């Protein structure tokens, strides 16, 4: 134990007084794994109020174990349990665990105001504390605040490294890079607190790219995502501090901002990619290629209409997957397309409902055997029910398996589950302020930052696995080498394969057998038995080995009908046949013979020429050959129509969606409605002198969709002159008239505001009839501000030409204010303001201080002060039980000329009926201070007065 006048400097676990570590009868009954379940209920309600009986945290009883169990069956040690903290007092001495990372069997933990390092190398089920340091002991730069209950927000170390870590935080902490090579004596190498020393960093992610370590941070205030060279920071000889973006004091570390997003709440990454998300405008998520962190490129921007909370990105081989949390769902997307450049995620490959209490979170890690896991958690510590956290094996991301023990047992008349055992609102067995925030595997041990507890669980594989498998390639012929991939869930440790009836080899015990061949065509049976310590299960699937001869079932064509000179795409469908295959194409006019032919491609694109006959049909025939045979197929007839005449120069004008109103945003959908056009060339007015011919036009395209209907985004608010040139194979180009586009909404308008109040745990606190200052942080130069002060969905305070800076709630209650800003037809609504809890105004009080004894005839001084009211400077009224002296200010000097108990009472005209009094015991002889300053023991013949000094 470290007893010191500076408790923040103690680098040892905290100790708790024995009186606060008492066990309830219910807790004692379950300390031994073999003990019966408790029969006595704890004396707690089913709310989230602090309860003396909801501490200490006791591991879930063995009746609920199955595949996952607490790593220790005894009560959590005091340095990993804050369930006995009622929220009154120091959040630094009573930590709440908010985030953790595990590297090389060291656990790095960020609590509310402490930085911890735990050694899990030798006894991972009961890690030992190497460092437990308060925020001021290193020290970190931050802005102390009486309301700063949680300063640290996130922590992360590069993969496979335990000698460095990045820590993010609020209250001006920003991001810090810490050298942890000496675990009990870490050194801050670099800290960036932001340009105003107030950056609110919500998430940090570290990774290694080309042998260098980098840190990426997501910030909600001074917001967005920022990149740092962690290796450069670690190479510093001493510590360097700066405020970026701004003057660089630490060269080579700050690499700049990624993208233009004004806020980011969550962050993760895999390989050369990072993903960031926002819960409020701008919503959605972005994925960036950061293979060169100084020059990142966006590869995905999606779900802009959804609030995206926690995100996790991971890589399996060449494939990338993204897990994302919305308000009500967990989702998994296949985002492997990001390796080819910018793309869309498509529909989720898996989703399930998850209703959060606080902010929904998700964490990725790998367990023994490199098994990928997702932990879906929640920041709210008012959990109830049987399961609000899920631990998914995602080896098959389209069908993940939750390894959380299922089922319940009845304790004191209530059904209890494995995770639900810990939730406070379950009352009879939950613990104070436990929240399933963040969890990561190291080997078979799962470390959980549970807000009020830091506990460890062990994966045991308590149930037989569920076998499943896939294979490649999709088309298999006699002699084709086939690779099989195990996708079983439930932690298998052994595999037994059969390849029937003519596989070569006929079986395998490898997890992922490769180069399996089948001798003949037909249906084959592949069977897999997957086993672990709890038993085995089997499954089988049919695999078809195709005949080697070519087969083609048909030819598709698009478009049909087509215009003269318009490209037509012919695609041979459902082609099989043992490679290599050769394709040969012929295009024939109905009754007119072959007009075109093509070589070894599929699909084949045919573009008619001006001399070919219109008003008739054409067909395409494909011939597919290989060494085993030949097959042919013919398309349906394609009608070739003549071109309409093009209009004259200036006789047509492009249009855009929403015309004639200015576009609502900077992204505009244009249209060129010219029926005879087969090629288009646009000038959008924002690239004068650009393009292939330096004329501002972007170049010819024959794309039948994007050509006549392009989407263009303006970055700068202005009015632009738009034109389009059209042409076809029979006529020279024609140029449209000019379309003036008012893109004044190109800069997005984004609503944001906050109350200048004390806020904690998602709630701000105010008093009835006391004006509240609101700070507007909207961007995009709105024209009007509309307010829904009570949050009922109706904007009752509309059309304000400037932000409202003061608002007063005239009744008590809870209110969820919203802000809508508008500029022309563009608008945005901010719904992320914390709830404001408006309570009754506190009663004013008056306090008098001064001596409680006095000598008779000697002047003494008293002072008055107020609480919860602003006094009138000259509005003070004093009474003194016959004392000599008066005052209308907050200070009074008085003397008494008789002994006994005297009362001094004071009030102020601005504080209602509030008053205070003090009893003064006067004693002694009648010593009087005369006007000439001399003292005497008799008053005969003299005039007396009391001086003010």
């Amino acid at each position: 134990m470290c007893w010191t006048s500076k408790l923040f400097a103690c680098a040892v676990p905290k100790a708790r007084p024995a009186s606060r570590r008492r066990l309830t009868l219910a807790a004692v009954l379950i300390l031994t794994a073999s003990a019966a379940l408790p029969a006595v209920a704890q004396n707690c309600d089913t709310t989230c109020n602090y309860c003396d009986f909801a501490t200490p945290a006791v591991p879930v009883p063995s009746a609920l174990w199955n595949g996952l169990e607490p790593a220790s069956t005894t009560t959590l040690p005091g340095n990993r349990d804050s369930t006995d903290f009622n929220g009154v007092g120091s959040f630094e001495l009573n930590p709440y665990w908010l985030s953790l990372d595990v590297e090389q069997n060291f656990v790095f933990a960020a609590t509310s105001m402490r930085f911890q390092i735990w050694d899990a190398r030798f006894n991972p089920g009961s890690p030992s504390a190497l460092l437990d340091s308060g925020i001021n002991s290193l020290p970190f730069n931050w802005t102390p605040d009486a309301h700063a209950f949680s300063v640290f927000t996130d922590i992360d170390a590069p993969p496979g490294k335990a000698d460095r870590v990045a820590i993010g935080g609020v209250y001006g902490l920003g991001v810090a890079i810490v050298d942890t090579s000496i675990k009990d004596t870490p050194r801050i190498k670099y800290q960036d607190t932001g340009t105003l020393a107030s950056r609110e960093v919500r998430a940090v992610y570290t990774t290694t790219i080309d042998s260098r370590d980098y840190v990426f941070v997501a910030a909600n205030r001074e917001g967005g995502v920022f990149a740092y060279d962690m290796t450069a920071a670690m190479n510093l000889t001493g510590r360097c501090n700066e405020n970026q973006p701004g003057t660089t004091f630490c060269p080579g570390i700050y690499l700049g901002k990624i993208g233009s997003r004004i806020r980011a709440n969550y962050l993760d990454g895999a390989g050369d990619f990072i993903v960031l998300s926002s819960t409020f405008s701008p919503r959605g998520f972005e994925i960036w290629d950061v293979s060169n962190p100084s020059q990142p490129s966006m590869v995905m921007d999606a779900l802009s209409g959804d609030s995206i909370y926690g995100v996790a990105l991971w890589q399996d081989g060449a494939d990338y997957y993204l897990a994302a949390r919305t308000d009500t769902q967990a989702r998994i997307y296949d985002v492997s397309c990001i390796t080819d450049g910018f793309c869309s995620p498509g529909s989720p490959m898996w989703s399930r409902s998850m209703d959060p209490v606080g902010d929904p979170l998700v964490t990725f890690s790998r367990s023994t055997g490199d098994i990928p896991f997702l932990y879906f958690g929640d920041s709210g510590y008012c959990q109830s029910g049987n399961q609000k956290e899920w631990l998914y094996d995602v080896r098959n991301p389209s069908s993940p398996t939750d390894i959380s023990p299922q089922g319940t047992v009845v304790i004191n008349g209530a059904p209890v589950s494995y995770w639900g055992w810990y939730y406070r609102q379950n009352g009879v067995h939950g613990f104070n302020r436990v929240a399933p925030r963040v969890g990561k595997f190291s080997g078979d041990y799962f470390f959980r930052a549970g807000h009020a507890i830091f506990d460890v669980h062990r994966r045991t594989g308590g149930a037989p696995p569920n076998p499943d498998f896939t294979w490649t390639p999709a088309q298999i012929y006699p002699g084709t080498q086939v690779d099989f991939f195990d996708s079983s869930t439930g932690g298998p440790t052994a595999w037994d394969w059969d390849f029937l009836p003519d596989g070569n080899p006929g079986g395998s015990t490898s997890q992922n057998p490769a180069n399996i061949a089948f001798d003949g065509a037909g249906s084959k049976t592949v069977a897999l038995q997957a086993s672990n310590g709890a038993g085995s299960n089997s499954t089988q699937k049919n695999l078809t080995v195709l005949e080697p001869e070519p087969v083609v079932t048909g030819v598709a064509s698009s478009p049909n009908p087509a215009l003269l000179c318009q490209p037509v795409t012919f695609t041979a469908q459902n082609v099989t046949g043992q490679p290599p295959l050769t394709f040969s194409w012929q295009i024939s006019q109905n009754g007119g013979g072959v007009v075109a032919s093509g070589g070894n491609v599929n699909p084949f694109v045919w573009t008619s020429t001006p001399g070919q006959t219109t008003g008739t049909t054409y067909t395409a025939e494909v011939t597919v050959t290989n060494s085993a045979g030949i097959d042919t197929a013919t398309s349906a007839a394609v009608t070739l129509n003549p071109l309409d005449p093009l209009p004259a120069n200036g006789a047509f004008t492009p249009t855009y969606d929403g015309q004639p109103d200015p576009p609502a945003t900077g992204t505009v959908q244009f249209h060129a409605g010219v029926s005879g056009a087969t090629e288009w060339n646009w000038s959008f007015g924002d690239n004068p002198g650009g393009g292939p011919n330096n004329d501002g036009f972007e170049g010819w395209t024959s794309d039948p969709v994007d050509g006549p209907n392009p989407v263009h985004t303006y970055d700068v608010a202005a009015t632009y002159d738009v034109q389009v040139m059209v042409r076809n194979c029979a006529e020279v180009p024609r140029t449209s008239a000019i379309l003036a586009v008012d893109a004044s909404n190109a800069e997005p308008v984004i609503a944001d505001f906050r109350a200048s109040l004390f806020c904690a745990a998602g709630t701000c606190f105010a008093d009835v009839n006391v004006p509240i200052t609101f700070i507007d942080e909207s961007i995009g130069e709105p024209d009007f501000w509309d307010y829904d002060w009570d949050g009922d969905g109706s904007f009752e305070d509309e059309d304000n030409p400037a932000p409202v800076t003061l608002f007063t709630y005239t009744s008590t209650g809870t209110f969820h204010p919203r802000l809508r800003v508008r500029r022309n037809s563009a608008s945005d609504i901010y719904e992320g303001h914390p709830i404001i809890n408006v309570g009754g105004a506190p009663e004013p009080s008056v306090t008098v201080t001064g001596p409680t004894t006095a000598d008779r005839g000697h002047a003494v001084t008293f002072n008055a002060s107020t609480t919860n009211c602003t006094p009138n400077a000259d509005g003070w009224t004093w009474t003194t039980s016959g004392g000599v002296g008066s005052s209308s200010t907050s200070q009074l000097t008085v003397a008494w000329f008789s002994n006994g108990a005297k009362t001094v009472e004071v009030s102020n005209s601005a504080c209602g009926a509030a008053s205070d009094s003090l009893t003064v015991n006067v004693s002694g002889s009648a010593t009087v201070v005369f006007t000439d300053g001399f003292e005497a023991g008799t008053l005969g013949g003299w005039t007396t007065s009391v001086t003010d000094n």
Side-chain angles (χ1 to χ4, degrees):
M1 184 177 296
C2 173
W3 292 107
T4 173
S5 60
K6 295 183 178 180
L7 293 177
F8 296 166
C10 294
V12 297
K14 69 174 180 176
R16 304 281 177 101
S19 61
R20 297 184 66 193
R21 307 302 294 149
R22 66 184 185 276
L23 301 181
T24 65
L25 175 59
V28 172
L29 288 174
I30 63 172
L31 289 183
T32 303
S34 60
L37 293 176
V40 179
Q42 296 177 350
N43 185 23
C44 286
D45 56 23
T46 55
T47 69
C48 293
N49 297 326
Y50 178 84
C51 175
D52 286 338
F53 289 89
T55 183
V58 178
V60 59
S62 59
L64 290 164
W65 303 352
N66 183 17
L68 200 66
E69 63 185 43
S72 173
T73 59
T74 60
T75 305
L76 283 179
N79 60 348
R80 292 199 282 122
D81 184 352
S82 287
T83 58
D84 59 353
F85 177 46
N86 63 3
V88 179
S90 171
F91 281 73
E92 183 171 5
L93 298 180
N94 299 274
Y96 287 136
W97 286 266
L98 306 180
S99 181
L100 59 76
D101 190 25
V102 189
E103 300 295 343
Q104 295 185 328
N105 291 315
F106 290 99
V107 182
F108 300 95
T111 80
S112 45
M113 297 179 74
R114 299 190 77 79
F115 169 35
Q116 299 177 340
I117 303 177
W118 301 81
D119 188 347
R121 293 173 298 172
F122 309 110
N123 186 2
S126 182
S128 58
L130 300 178
L131 176 79
D132 190 3
S133 177
I135 190 171
N136 297 303
S137 61
L138 281 181
F140 290 91
N141 292 330
W142 67 294
T143 305
D145 189 305
H147 303 145
F149 298 152
S150 292
V151 180
F152 295 129
T153 56
D154 198 13
I155 191 166
D156 198 37
K161 296 183 180 180
D163 65 344
R164 60 199 65 188
V165 70
I167 303 176
V170 295
Y171 292 98
L173 186 134
V175 62
I177 297 173
V178 184
D179 180 343
T180 56
S181 54
I182 303 175
K183 298 296 182 288
D184 60 354
T185 314
R187 295 179 298 154
I188 298 176
K189 303 292 287 187
Y190 173 82
Q191 188 173 355
D192 175 13
T193 57
T195 56
L196 301 176
S198 60
R199 175 167 295 150
E200 292 186 354
V201 170
R202 297 296 175 180
V204 296
Y205 168 69
T206 61
T207 190
T208 304
I209 302 173
D210 292 335
S211 301
R212 292 189 73 83
D213 298 326
Y214 295 92
V215 180
F216 301 90
V217 306
N220 195 38
R221 186 176 179 185
E222 295 186 31
V225 172
F226 304 86
Y228 302 82
D229 188 326
M230 193 179 202
T231 297
M234 290 293 293
N235 289 337
L236 293 171
T237 57
R239 174 174 177 171
C240 190
N241 303 313
E242 61 184 345
N243 312 112
Q244 291 287 4
T247 303
T248 296
F249 298 104
C250 315
I253 300 176
Y254 175 71
L255 302 179
K257 184 175 180 178
I258 294 179
S260 59
R261 188 168 285 233
I262 63 168
R263 64 169 57 86
N265 303 96
Y266 304 92
L267 184 68
D268 195 37
D272 291 342
F273 300 93
I274 63 170
V275 58
L276 59 102
S277 66
S278 302
T279 55
F280 298 104
S281 182
R283 296 173 173 85
F285 72 85
E286 298 173 6
I287 299 180
W288 287 77
D289 182 339
V290 291
S291 52
N292 181 352
S294 298
Q295 295 181 333
S297 61
M298 184 190 290
V299 292
M300 188 171 288
D301 182 4
L303 304 184
S304 60
D306 293 341
S307 292
I308 301 299
Y309 293 80
V311 288
L313 186 68
W314 76 99
Q315 180 182 6
D316 269 335
D319 298 322
Y320 285 84
Y321 301 98
L322 171 69
R325 298 291 303 270
T326 71
D327 290 314
T328 58
Q329 279 190 330
R331 301 174 183 172
I332 297 177
Y333 294 88
D334 185 340
V335 294
S336 303
C337 62
I338 58 177
T339 59
D340 297 323
F342 191 88
C343 62
S344 169
S347 299
M349 59 194 306
W350 173 88
S351 65
R352 68 157 292 166
S353 296
M354 291 184 183
D355 292 326
V357 173
D359 288 337
L361 306 170
V362 60
T363 317
F364 176 81
S365 61
R366 292 184 183 271
S367 182
T368 299
D370 207 33
I371 300 174
F373 278 93
L374 289 174
Y375 176 62
F376 292 99
D378 192 293
S379 68
Y381 51 77
C382 190
Q383 304 289 345
S384 63
N386 282 322
Q387 188 172 6
K388 290 299 175 67
E389 56 201 292
W390 295 263
L391 189 54
Y392 276 100
D393 176 335
V394 289
R395 282 176 290 182
N396 182 359
S398 63
S399 183
T401 300
D402 184 12
I403 70 164
S404 302
Q406 301 301 304
T408 61
V409 297
V410 176
I411 301 178
N412 301 312
V416 181
S417 67
Y418 186 89
W419 294 121
W421 168 263
Y422 295 94
Y423 302 155
R424 170 64 185 86
Q425 199 171 351
N426 287 334
V428 297
H429 49 78
F431 306 104
N432 293 317
R433 299 200 174 193
V434 171
R437 293 185 60 92
V438 172
K440 289 190 175 183
F441 271 106
S442 179
D444 285 331
Y445 289 86
F446 181 70
F447 298 89
R448 182 172 69 147
H451 198 258
I453 60 174
F454 165 38
D455 63 352
V456 187
H457 300 258
R458 185 168 67 93
R459 185 171 68 90
T460 62
N466 297 313
D468 198 5
F469 61 92
T470 59
W471 63 82
T472 60
Q475 291 186 0
I476 303 171
Y477 300 93
T480 298
Q481 290 188 335
V482 185
D483 296 335
F484 291 88
F485 301 94
D486 170 55
S487 56
S488 305
T489 58
T493 56
W495 301 263
D496 187 7
W497 299 80
D498 284 318
F499 308 109
L500 302 173
D502 56 356
N504 186 15
S508 174
T509 57
S510 298
Q511 181 180 6
N512 300 302
N515 302 327
I516 309 300
F518 296 89
D519 294 337
S523 179
K524 315 296 178 180
T525 300
V526 178
L528 169 63
Q529 181 185 68
S531 308
N532 61 18
S536 63
N537 282 315
S538 299
T539 189
Q540 65 181 35
K541 296 183 180 181
N542 290 329
L543 174 153
T544 300
V545 178
L546 301 169
E547 297 289 349
E549 294 82 8
V551 175
V552 56
T553 62
V555 176
S557 55
S558 179
N560 187 11
L563 294 173
L564 183 66
C565 298
Q566 185 178 14
V568 181
T569 299
F570 295 99
T571 304
Q573 295 180 305
N574 304 316
V575 179
T576 62
Q578 193 150 14
L581 298 174
T582 300
F583 294 80
S584 177
W585 294 87
Q586 284 190 337
I587 311 299
S588 300
Q589 179 184 340
N590 183 21
V594 176
V595 298
S597 60
N600 190 21
V601 293
N602 185 38
F604 175 71
V605 179
W606 170 59
T607 303
S608 56
T609 61
Q612 285 169 339
T613 305
T614 58
T616 187
T617 59
Y618 295 78
T619 57
E621 182 184 67
V622 64
T623 300
V624 183
T625 60
N626 67 4
S627 60
I630 185 170
D631 196 20
T632 62
T634 303
S635 73
V638 175
T639 301
L640 186 65
N641 290 327
L643 293 165
D644 290 337
L646 294 176
N649 286 324
F652 63 102
T653 306
T655 62
Y656 64 85
D657 286 353
Q659 202 170 339
D661 294 334
T665 69
T667 299
V668 186
Q669 172 81 66
F670 288 100
H671 305 283
V674 180
S675 60
T678 58
E679 292 185 85
W680 301 264
N681 188 4
W682 287 85
S683 171
F684 298 108
D686 58 350
N687 189 26
N693 296 317
N694 301 318
D695 56 0
F697 285 84
E698 300 204 344
W700 290 97
T701 177
S702 60
D703 188 300
V705 177
D706 292 338
N709 306 292
V711 175
H712 186 73
T713 299
Y714 294 101
D715 296 325
V716 179
T719 298
Y720 297 94
D721 292 338
V722 178
Q723 286 184 288
V724 60
M725 290 193 288
V726 297
R727 70 183 182 188
N728 58 36
C729 60
E731 297 187 70
V732 298
R734 307 288 202 275
T735 303
S736 72
I738 293 175
L739 169 69
V741 178
D742 178 4
S744 56
N745 293 324
E747 183 183 3
V749 59
I750 298 176
D752 198 357
F753 75 138
R754 57 187 173 90
S756 183
L757 292 171
F758 165 61
C759 304
T763 302
C764 299
F765 300 91
D767 295 322
V768 69
N769 295 322
V770 176
I772 301 171
T773 298
F774 283 86
I775 301 171
D776 185 76
E777 296 179 338
S778 305
I779 64 173
E781 299 183 0
D783 295 326
F784 298 102
W785 284 256
D786 306 327
Y787 295 88
D788 174 12
W789 295 111
D790 54 12
D792 65 355
S794 174
F795 291 93
E796 66 274 9
D797 184 3
E798 293 186 297
D799 300 328
N800 294 283
V804 174
T805 58
L806 289 175
F807 181 77
T808 302
Y809 287 97
T810 58
S811 62
T812 60
T814 57
F815 305 95
H816 192 184
R818 300 188 307 150
L819 168 64
R820 179 177 63 199
V821 294
R822 294 178 285 131
R823 189 190 63 224
N824 297 326
S825 59
S827 67
D828 184 60
I829 297 176
Y830 180 63
E831 299 174 316
H833 197 287
I835 291 172
I836 298 179
N837 188 335
V838 180
E843 292 293 330
S845 63
V846 175
T847 302
V848 59
T849 58
T852 57
T853 61
D855 292 330
R856 188 172 69 173
H858 280 258
V860 288
T861 300
F862 298 87
N863 291 282
S865 61
T866 65
T867 303
N868 301 323
C869 65
T870 302
N872 291 327
D874 295 322
W876 296 94
T877 300
W878 297 84
T879 59
T880 61
S881 297
V884 177
S886 63
S887 174
S888 61
T889 70
S890 61
Q891 189 175 81
L892 167 72
T893 299
V894 63
W896 286 273
F897 297 96
S898 62
N899 292 342
K902 312 298 182 182
T903 300
V904 176
E905 186 174 8
V906 65
S907 62
N908 188 277
S909 59
C911 300
S915 64
D916 191 27
S917 61
L918 187 67
T919 298
V920 183
N921 291 311
V922 179
S923 61
S925 58
T927 300
V928 180
V929 179
F930 291 88
T931 56
D932 60 2
F934 291 94
E935 297 182 358
T938 175
L939 303 180
W942 294 91
T943 300
T944 62
S945 67
V946 179
T947 65
D948 291 333
N949 51 13

